[in-house]
Amino acid sequence: MRHIQEDDDAHDQYRRARAIQVEMLRDEIIELVEQPLPDDPKMAQAEVARRRLEAEQKDKYVRQLQPLGLRNKAEDRNDQMSGTITLRWNDAETA
């Protein structure tokens, strides 16, 4: 991890690898959901619950695979939500 933190090329490779891993996990989730269910209603219900649990766990893992913040450098941070917000109230004169 220290090497990834210190070397820009290694960090770029790490980010690309994590992005590929995320895409593969999302494909697995889609495949899991699209598989046919058993004909027996009770087995189908149990299978739906099992798949839901597995899909939710994989989705949670996907969200945790964010490589940002590993180096704590400005170019790695998402600055889309930064900035200044100014709120101003104008005192309206009442007549």
Side-chain angles (χ1 to χ4, degrees):
M1 290 309 242
R2 186 177 307 131
H3 177 67
I4 293 170
Q5 290 172 339
E6 295 170 354
D7 186 3
D8 289 339
D9 291 333
H11 186 260
D12 289 340
Q13 288 178 351
Y14 175 77
R15 288 178 74 158
R16 284 194 300 272
R18 286 296 194 185
I20 292 169
Q21 183 181 16
V22 165
E23 289 300 319
M24 291 177 62
L25 285 169
R26 289 187 183 192
D27 287 344
E28 287 179 17
I29 292 171
I30 291 170
E31 289 174 9
L32 179 69
V33 170
E34 291 179 344
Q35 291 176 357
L37 293 172
D39 293 330
D40 181 25
K42 288 185 179 184
M43 292 296 292
Q45 188 176 13
E47 183 65 15
V48 166
R50 185 195 70 77
R51 289 182 192 180
R52 180 179 293 133
L53 181 64
E54 186 176 346
E56 287 175 357
Q57 183 62 32
K58 285 184 180 187
D59 185 55
K60 180 180 177 183
Y61 183 60
V62 162
R63 288 183 306 225
Q64 292 174 348
L65 286 177
Q66 299 298 325
L68 302 177
L70 184 66
R71 299 187 305 170
N72 198 24
K73 288 190 175 182
E75 67 267 14
D76 296 335
R77 293 189 208 112
N78 187 357
D79 290 333
Q80 293 176 354
M81 295 173 55
S82 67
T84 303
I85 297 175
T86 304
L87 299 176
R88 190 174 336 161
W89 284 267
N90 291 330
D91 291 332
E93 293 182 29
T94 57

